[in-house]
């Protein structure tokens, strides 16, 4: 169960944080992984080297581009068409935070978070769906957030983008279900990654107290949910969201 031999998996933001863990999980499950990133070439190349050494029989590729730029997304998928016979899974994981209280949030910070987190999800999903429809099969999983359901102070831009990702998945899933394509969302809570490492210690402590399990989650725990929804076994699940949040 949950084996991905002869499947190609695109993971945006797949070289760090949760994305890194997802790339590793799919490689371990036998998939061919194409991990995308936006900056830091050195870190991405190091990640690729580490994965190739850990999984010498697996295929690992990295590609640098900005998911919020539709022209760059189209160029990426042209490269996919030239180098791969098909793709089976898209994980929309690229995401950023630029926190501030709403009244003080700059227009630039509002727009940039929406561009990466929401526009990028749409542009990537659109291109993937066009290719999935040819073979009447595909899996799309959006890495949303429990914040998109409950709201978090200081994150109006981030939580708005994550709520919109859930709604986008619901709408698109209804359009393509008869083509054998499923689209779902994973909503992590507080996960131990560098994305939350910049939070003040007192805020981290306060967040942990809010979680019924009294701890932050691990990347592996998120990966287990993603592998399930990306698997052929999850063929009757679409348009839904799965919380991996410790009970938030």
């Amino acid at each position: 169960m949950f084996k991905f031999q002869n499947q190609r998996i695109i993971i945006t933001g797949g070289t760090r944080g949760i994305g890194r863990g997802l790339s590793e999980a799919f490689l371990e499950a036998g998939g061919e992984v194409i991990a995308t990133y936006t900056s830091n070439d050195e870190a991405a190349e190091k990640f690729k080297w580490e994965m190739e050494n850990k999984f010498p029989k697996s295929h690992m590729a990295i590609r640098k581009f900005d998911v919020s730029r539709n022209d760059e997304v189209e160029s990426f998928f042209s490269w996919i068409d030239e180098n791969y016979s098909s793709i089976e899974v898209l994980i929309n994981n690229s995401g950023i935070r630029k926190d501030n209280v709403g009244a003080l949030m700059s227009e630039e910070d509002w727009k940039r978070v929406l561009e990466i987190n929401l526009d990028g999800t749409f542009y990537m999903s659109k291109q993937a769906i066009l290719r999935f429809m040819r073979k009447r099969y595909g899996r799309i999983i959006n890495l949303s957030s429990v914040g998109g359901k409950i709201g978090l102070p200081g994150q109006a831009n981030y939580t708005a983008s994550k709520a919109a990702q859930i709604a986008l998945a619901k709408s698109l899933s209804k359009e393509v279900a008869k083509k054998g394509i499923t689209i779902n969302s994973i909503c992590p809570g507080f996960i131990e990654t560098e994305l939350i490492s910049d939070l003040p210690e007192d805020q981290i402590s306060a967040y942990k107290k809010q979680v019924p399990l009294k701890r932050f989650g691990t990347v592996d725990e998120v990966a287990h949910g993603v592998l399930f929804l990306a698997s052929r076994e999850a063929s009757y699940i679409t348009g839904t969201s799965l919380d991996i949040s410790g009970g938030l």
Side-chain angles (χ1 to χ4, degrees):
M1 189 175 287
F2 311 152
K3 297 300 182 182
F4 291 86
Q5 283 82 5
N6 301 314
Q7 292 194 49
R8 274 66 45 182
I9 300 98
I10 296 171
I11 305 174
T12 66
T15 64
R16 65 184 183 89
I18 290 176
R20 177 191 175 98
L22 298 181
S23 293
E24 187 168 349
F26 277 105
L27 287 169
E28 189 170 11
E32 298 182 31
V33 172
I34 305 98
T36 82
Y37 70 103
T38 306
S39 60
N40 201 336
D41 297 327
E42 183 179 352
E45 289 292 344
K46 180 181 178 183
F47 163 74
K48 183 174 184 292
W49 179 83
E50 290 172 349
M51 294 299 101
E52 288 174 340
N53 279 272
K54 187 171 185 177
F55 305 103
K57 295 183 179 180
S58 298
H59 175 86
M60 175 81 210
I62 57 174
R63 295 292 290 183
K64 180 182 180 181
F65 69 97
D66 185 345
V67 297
S68 72
R69 293 285 303 275
N70 191 42
D71 58 335
E72 294 187 23
V73 171
E74 290 178 345
S75 294
F76 167 74
F77 275 94
S78 294
W79 176 83
I80 288 289
D81 293 339
E82 293 170 1
N83 290 276
Y84 296 88
S85 59
S86 65
I87 56 169
E88 283 68 42
V89 181
L90 167 64
I91 311 297
N92 286 309
N93 172 70
S94 285
I96 62 170
R97 283 179 31 240
K98 290 184 178 291
D99 296 352
N100 207 339
V101 294
L104 300 178
M105 186 174 291
S106 69
E107 180 181 3
E108 179 183 358
D109 285 354
W110 170 263
K111 288 185 176 180
R112 189 58 183 153
V113 170
L114 269 290
E115 286 170 354
I116 294 287
N117 298 4
L118 180 58
D119 294 355
T121 296
F122 172 71
Y123 296 148
M124 291 294 297
S125 297
K126 175 182 176 181
Q127 294 299 322
I129 286 169
L130 290 172
R131 288 152 179 85
F132 291 161
M133 289 176 71
R134 298 171 191 165
K135 61 182 298 183
R136 302 183 70 86
Y137 180 84
R139 299 280 187 264
I140 297 177
I141 295 99
N142 296 339
L143 264 293
S144 180
S145 169
V146 71
K149 296 181 176 182
I150 66 175
L152 293 169
Q155 294 188 343
N157 49 2
Y158 181 79
T159 55
S161 71
K162 293 302 180 178
Q165 277 185 315
I166 297 170
L168 176 64
K170 286 182 176 292
S171 292
L172 292 180
S173 68
K174 290 176 170 60
E175 297 174 359
V176 300
K178 64 182 179 181
K179 299 291 186 179
I181 302 166
T182 67
I183 306 178
N184 293 290
S185 299
I186 292 281
C187 297
F190 299 109
I191 307 299
E192 295 279 7
T193 71
E194 64 263 32
L195 191 63
I196 64 170
S197 63
D198 62 338
L199 294 174
E201 191 61 39
D202 59 340
Q203 191 171 1
I204 289 176
S205 178
Y207 282 154
K208 284 185 178 179
K209 289 178 181 178
Q210 294 176 32
V211 179
L213 286 180
K214 302 304 178 187
R215 66 174 177 87
F216 287 170
T218 68
V219 172
D220 283 347
E221 288 170 322
V222 176
H224 296 156
V226 173
L227 287 172
F228 168 60
L229 289 179
S231 70
R232 295 186 183 275
E233 289 82 359
S235 57
Y236 202 58
I237 302 173
T238 193
T240 193
S241 59
L242 172 63
D243 290 2
I244 303 178
S245 65
L248 278 173

